[in-house]
Amino acid sequence: MSGRERSDGSSKRRVAYIYSPEYIETCDTLSKVPNRASMVHSLIEAYGLLQHMSVVKPRAATMEEMAMFHTDSYLQHLHKISQDGDNDDPQSADFGLGYDCPVVEGIFDYAAAVGGATLTAAECLLDQKCEVAINWAGGWHHAKKDEASGFCYINDAVLGILKLREKYERVLYVDVDLHHGDGVEEAFSFTSKVMTVSLHKFSPGFFPGTGDLRDTGLGKGRWYAVNVPLEDGIQDDRYFQVFTSVMQEVRSQFNPEAVLMQLGADTMAGDPMCSFNMTPVGVAQCLQHVLQWQLPALLLGGGGYNMANTARCWTFLTASVLGKTLSSEIPDHEFFTEYGPDYSLEISPSCRPDRNDSKHLERVISTIKAHSSQERCCRRVKLK
């Protein structure tokens, strides 16, 4: 075995890992991240982590299940063009299909597979088969009700939250991807039953262009969307400080009963997005901060375009959930040569400057605290 146990109690967690060879093969076809699902799974397996989790075979989502969020017209169009890979249908542009969400044969089956895997993970939590459920090939947070967006054809995160809401009154969504979790925030912007928290790069011209500090939700959902806009170059320590300050407010305001966390790895140093300067250690600290609340937790992947670093990150996070310490040396396995030249699990930060000025970060945190206070005031007024 390549992992040693830690003594923080995490080794006693029951963890469900959503996997089947067919599911991974389907996810490998996504043009933006070819073979990424296989690379992630192979490294987790090579480190001997599968023996410490319940491996659960996912099912495909039905049309009806996907329609819990997506419109019938969008799903029917996706199904129609998926059968022959028709890229010339004039209606496709209306549904966001084209430039960054290309039409390829079988794309509907891919969407159903990812949606079904996240629903399977949520069901494991509802049935109390585990405390933590993992679907690394999920986390496609940009898709809207009636359109694909940002490489996302289905919003499996929204489907997972809706499933958790069948049992849990208040569900917290935490998004640490480089990009704003716009599709999830928009889906729940009018409700106080789901709080969305997104830490992301916010810069003119950077996709998706939403997630301003001042965006706090609408109607009954006002103050239940929390956005933490960040600049390039942020590293682990500073990110963790911001994360814990924000989450302290969020927990005391919202008191969640379950959590769904999107852990996109495009924040890693060495990612082609070339924005944040994080390592898996910093993301694992954030994850552990949430897991220590001991709530049912559904963990999803997301972005991550340096395939080897994404596999490093999610393998490290899997070990962290299980309370295992992994050897620095990448074990021999199918994708071993992708980890050269150092063949090491660690990711080192690059020498880029941190553009996050301390005063700006303090202002972000104090504004979020003020929003939280306003929400508490509004609640007291309503109770009177």
Side-chain angles (χ1 to χ4, degrees):
M1 190 187 83
S2 306
R4 297 190 306 280
E5 280 198 12
R6 290 203 307 262
S7 56
D8 62 358
S10 51
S11 55
K12 296 184 176 63
R13 273 191 201 115
R14 291 179 305 146
V15 180
Y17 175 76
I18 309 303
Y19 165 77
S20 74
E22 300 78 21
Y23 176 52
I24 294 299
E25 193 180 325
T26 300
C27 294
D28 276 346
T29 62
L30 190 61
S31 60
K32 187 63 185 172
V33 285
N35 296 323
R36 189 182 73 174
S38 280
M39 279 186 72
V40 172
H41 173 73
S42 295
L43 192 60
I44 287 169
E45 184 177 42
Y47 269 110
L49 295 175
L50 294 183
Q51 62 189 299
H52 305 291
M53 303 185 277
S54 302
V55 177
V56 178
K57 184 178 180 178
R59 58 180 178 76
T62 63
M63 188 76 100
E64 292 72 28
E65 285 173 324
M66 290 187 279
M68 284 162 58
F69 174 56
H70 295 286
T71 61
D72 289 340
S73 55
Y74 170 67
L75 292 171
Q76 282 158 10
H77 183 77
L78 194 65
H79 186 258
K80 184 179 90 159
I81 57 164
S82 173
Q83 290 176 313
D84 50 12
D86 179 7
N87 229 332
D88 300 319
D89 190 305
Q91 263 199 304
S92 287
D94 298 337
F95 293 110
L97 296 158
Y99 171 62
D100 62 356
C101 295
V103 174
V104 289
E105 201 175 328
I107 198 65
F108 182 86
D109 295 333
Y110 162 77
V114 171
T118 295
L119 288 170
T120 302
E123 284 158 1
C124 287
L125 293 167
L126 296 185
D127 297 340
Q128 296 182 314
K129 290 178 179 169
C130 61
E131 285 91 42
V132 180
I134 299 173
N135 175 24
W136 289 132
W140 300 101
H141 58 170
H142 295 306
K144 309 293 196 301
K145 224 175 151 56
D146 55 359
E147 66 176 301
S149 174
F151 320 132
C152 304
Y153 299 87
I154 186 170
N155 201 316
D156 64 294
V158 169
L159 296 180
I161 291 167
L162 291 171
K163 178 56 74 173
L164 291 173
R165 281 274 299 118
E166 290 176 11
K167 179 174 182 179
Y168 302 108
E169 181 72 8
R170 293 178 307 283
V171 177
L172 174 65
Y173 173 72
V174 182
D175 190 318
V176 296
D177 193 277
L178 179 67
H179 301 84
H180 176 230
D182 58 334
V184 184
E185 181 182 305
E186 191 179 296
F188 298 108
S189 59
F190 284 93
T191 178
S192 59
K193 302 298 186 184
V194 175
M195 179 174 259
T196 61
V197 181
S198 179
L199 292 84
H200 49 267
K201 176 174 172 172
F202 186 71
S203 178
F206 188 74
F207 183 85
T210 50
D212 191 292
L213 181 60
R214 292 166 297 188
D215 296 336
T216 57
L218 301 160
K220 285 183 179 175
R222 190 161 188 220
W223 314 123
Y224 288 87
V226 176
N227 284 298
V228 188
L230 301 167
E231 301 281 348
D232 282 348
I234 196 162
Q235 294 196 22
D236 290 351
D237 290 352
R238 221 164 193 198
Y239 190 99
F240 183 60
Q241 284 168 5
V242 172
F243 184 88
T244 49
S245 300
V246 170
M247 295 316 292
Q248 198 174 341
E249 283 302 314
V250 163
R251 191 185 182 198
S252 98
Q253 175 190 336
F254 188 57
N255 189 25
E257 294 178 4
V259 61
L260 186 147
M261 203 162 174
Q262 198 269 22
L263 294 145
D266 42 6
T267 56
M268 292 294 105
D271 192 89
M273 287 287 163
C274 207
S275 296
F276 290 0
N277 202 6
M278 304 274 294
T279 79
V281 174
V283 182
Q285 286 177 311
C286 296
L287 174 56
Q288 285 298 342
H289 181 81
V290 172
L291 291 181
Q292 72 180 355
W293 301 344
Q294 298 189 318
L295 299 173
L298 203 170
L299 309 183
L300 302 175
Y305 308 102
N306 175 323
M307 308 302 166
N309 279 3
T310 300
R312 284 178 169 108
C313 180
W314 293 342
T315 299
F316 188 87
L317 295 184
T318 305
S320 175
V321 171
L322 293 167
K324 304 291 176 194
T325 304
L326 300 180
S327 156
S328 199
E329 293 170 22
I330 297 283
D332 191 18
H333 69 293
E334 184 186 351
F335 296 99
F336 180 73
T337 55
E338 301 291 328
Y339 296 90
D342 57 355
Y343 302 97
S344 165
L345 183 64
E346 286 75 34
I347 296 173
S348 301
S350 62
C351 303
R352 289 184 302 107
D354 182 352
R355 304 284 183 201
N356 293 273
D357 152 282
S358 293
K359 284 186 177 162
H360 164 72
L361 292 180
E362 284 164 18
R363 194 164 59 249
V364 166
I365 290 163
S366 64
T367 303
I368 288 166
K369 286 182 176 178
H371 291 165
S372 188
S373 299
Q374 283 175 282
E375 186 277 335
R376 280 194 282 266
C377 277
C378 293
R379 212 180 331 156
R380 280 199 294 272
V381 168
K382 279 178 194 165
L383 288 172
K384 283 176 185 174

